[in-house]
Amino acid sequence: MNATAHNQEEAPLPDGLVWPHRHILGIEGWTAAEISAVLDLADRYVEQNRRPDKRSRELSGRTIMNLFFEDSTRTKTSFELAGKRLGADVLSMSVGTSSVKKGETLLDTAMTLNAMKPDFLVVRHAQSGAPKLLADKVNCSVINAGDGTHEHPTQALLDALSIRRRKGKLEGLTVAICGDILHSRVARSNIHLLGTMGANVRVVAPPTLLPSSIDRMGVDVFTDMAHGLKDVDIVMMLRLQSERMSGKFVPSPREYFHFHGLTAERLAAAKPDALVMHPGPMNRGVEIDSEVADDIERSLILDQVEFGVAVRMACLRLAASTQDRATN
Amino acid sequence: MPLTAFTNARLLDPASGRDEVGTLVTEGGKITALGAGIAAPKGAEIVDCAGLCLAPGLVDMRVAVGEPGEENRETILSASRAAAAGGITAFAMLPNTQPVIDDIAGLEFVARRAREAKLVKIFAYGAVTHGAEGKELAEMGLLAEAGAIGFTDGVHAIGDALTMRRALSYAKAFDKVIVQHPEEPTLASGGQMNEGEISTRLGLSGITRAAEIIMLERDLRLVALTGGRYHAAHLSTAEGVELIRQAKHEGLHVTCDVAPPYFALTEVDIGDYRTFAKLSPPLRTDNDRRAIIAGIADGTIDAIASDHAPHDQDSKRVPFAAAAPGVVGLETLLPVALELYHKGHIGLLDLLDRLTLAPATILGLPLGQLRVGGAADLTIFDLDRPWVIDAASFKSKSKNSPFDTRPVAGAVVMTVVDGRIVHRS
């Protein structure tokens, strides 16, 4: 029995599903059917992850290398767990002790790792397009775990799963993405995903934190919270990094919170059953008030963390199916 | 002295408007006769051009070379070979070497290396400021005496208004041009590509077109104030072209150039982070591209320069934001420029003017024309020959061309400098 047959026996993909992507670099360009396929599969993994025995053998024998050039606790842990729960060998490169600091180029590092025959490289990098650069050169699957201010596809997928499980749908919902849109890969991936799925997407930010021509990406643009949050179903807050709050983009954290922080009072403009999301880590008192963040009726923040593992399992599993087709 | 007759040539000379099939005779590095009725003199070596075009050698007013300091990118010798292969018989080199050419020793070094290479004519700009840092004026007078062809901080803008004002004033005494990289540096800071929808989608910091417009507007005021000679390099925006058009209309001493990527490509060519399409200034929109073509056609844009910027693999096989800007251009200048002719945007003589006489005139060089007594610097090319650009075959040490695999029409067949054949294909 070969590995593929074994995998298929244990957890068949939905009938007729042919996943077209070997790499997962961004949501832009994905179809609604592809996005739904990931979410459907992830729903199954949510159940698997809630069992006492969480491990399947679908990726048994495969090797996943996490290559994080930027610090991240939750995303790296989430990918590690996702790989292990599918039975893969998972290895996380600690960039601080690696040859990267000795001047080796990104590409050399990746090619060196590629020579050890991993099946997946999970890459986070501070520069937009870095995973694409690697994907062009290596023969394993590259999964983008966040690149610069470009995309963070698994974050958008876990956000979508969190919304869909509570609201039962994505289509027709109004979602306000609030905060540092300019520097946010999370915002970009969510704009692509939610727009493709038929949601109405708003962005709400001070003008200095809005990227040029953002309206061309199919969103409605607001610069004040009162209008931006009016009658929305979902409020998605973004993190504002501290170095951007001290005069470069906004004058101060205090002023930012005064106009753009999410308080219970501001949230009252949204629909009564509106839900609050945050990709973490939160700056309490800067972009979000603790009272809102910790309200389990309104906050999806812990759901997002939980479903992140399931969504990453689905991404790995689907990319593996593409690898299998290439091999067969 | 060697005597050569180039027969059956389509003689093309923008200075005189000559476009006729005939013979051009060179002796001792000079043109001694040319025209339809000229017979090859007795004893002359005959080069039968078989109807090919024979134009003044191309004069490229903007070339970066890696020597001294970054010889892995390009040496003066490799740049000379690439220029010869591209039909370029003279080029002006930017001072952004290591060290920066801001003193006489730097100029003398370039002159010596050019003599040793002995292929094409190489002129060097002196830096406007020490180290091209934009602060204190370099010894412009001494540099001019030692042969600096003009002054520029090259790839860096002169951002400080007072420094620019003084440079324009001071260079007047030596009748030298100040060449500016027209980009407001604080506004462009950190930018990787044209600011707009595509930069937002790719998550790359944008450079607003206003960076170019603001710098040109400021500089044009300073030109009016000082009466200095000003040249804006590699325009990228429609508004920039219009500003120069207006300034010329008002009688200011201003000229400008553009490089082929800006009329052949747009920001869309960056695609999925293609670093070979990363330039400074950045590639802009199709509207800009069209305005630049119109500017070339109506003469607002005086010159077409290669803006040759060699970068090795390590500088380009990195994430987009880390990649060095610039592309090699010596060997693609003529064929990509000829696209403008083949597509009907400009007549052949006018196009050749932008590549020969106009840049020579800006730099004060007696080159770029076919005239008796003038230097026998010639480019012989096949106007229509189709071929596919192959970066791997470039003579340049660097292969960073966004035109690799592009089908083009028009190929250099022979390059002649001072009567010597320096390239033949």
Side-chain angles (χ1 to χ4, degrees), chain A residues 219-232:
Chain A
V219 299
D220 295 317
V221 181
F222 294 85
T223 53
D224 79 273
M225 292 286 271
H227 290 98
L229 296 192
K230 183 143 178 49
D231 297 330
V232 302

Side-chain angles (χ1 to χ4, degrees), chain A residues 28 128 149-150 188 212 216, chain B residues 196-197 200-201 203 273 317:
Chain A
E28 186 172 15
S128 302
T149 56
H150 175 226
R188 284 171 179 75
S212 165
R216 299 286 297 272
Chain B
E197 182 185 353
T200 292
R201 284 178 185 274
Y273 303 103
R317 284 178 58 183

Side-chain angles (χ1 to χ4, degrees), chain B residues 6 9-20 22-26 30-35 52-58 89 349 352 356-357 360 366-381 416:
Chain B
F6 297 87
R10 181 178 172 190
L11 303 171
L12 291 157
D13 179 38
S16 61
R18 183 195 298 272
D19 180 356
E20 63 181 0
T23 296
L24 182 142
V25 182
T26 72
K30 304 279 187 210
I31 296 170
T32 52
L34 76 159
L52 295 175
C53 295
L54 187 157
L58 309 191
T89 56
L349 281 177
L352 288 170
T356 59
L357 181 64
L367 301 174
Q369 46 188 312
L370 302 180
R371 63 178 175 87
V372 172
D377 293 354
L378 314 171
T379 300
I380 299 170
F381 62 96
V416 178

Side-chain angles (χ1 to χ4, degrees), chain A residues 83-125:
Chain A
K84 285 177 177 168
R85 287 186 179 164
L86 293 171
D89 294 317
V90 183
L91 199 138
S92 285
M93 288 282 296
S94 180
V95 176
T97 57
S98 78
S99 47
V100 173
K101 291 239 160 128
K102 296 171 197 156
E104 192 176 64
T105 68
L106 169 66
L107 213 48
D108 285 340
T109 304
M111 293 311 286
T112 303
L113 296 177
N114 186 51
M116 298 179 201
K117 307 282 180 240
D119 301 284
F120 298 91
L121 278 181
V122 178
V123 181
R124 167 167 289 193
H125 199 280

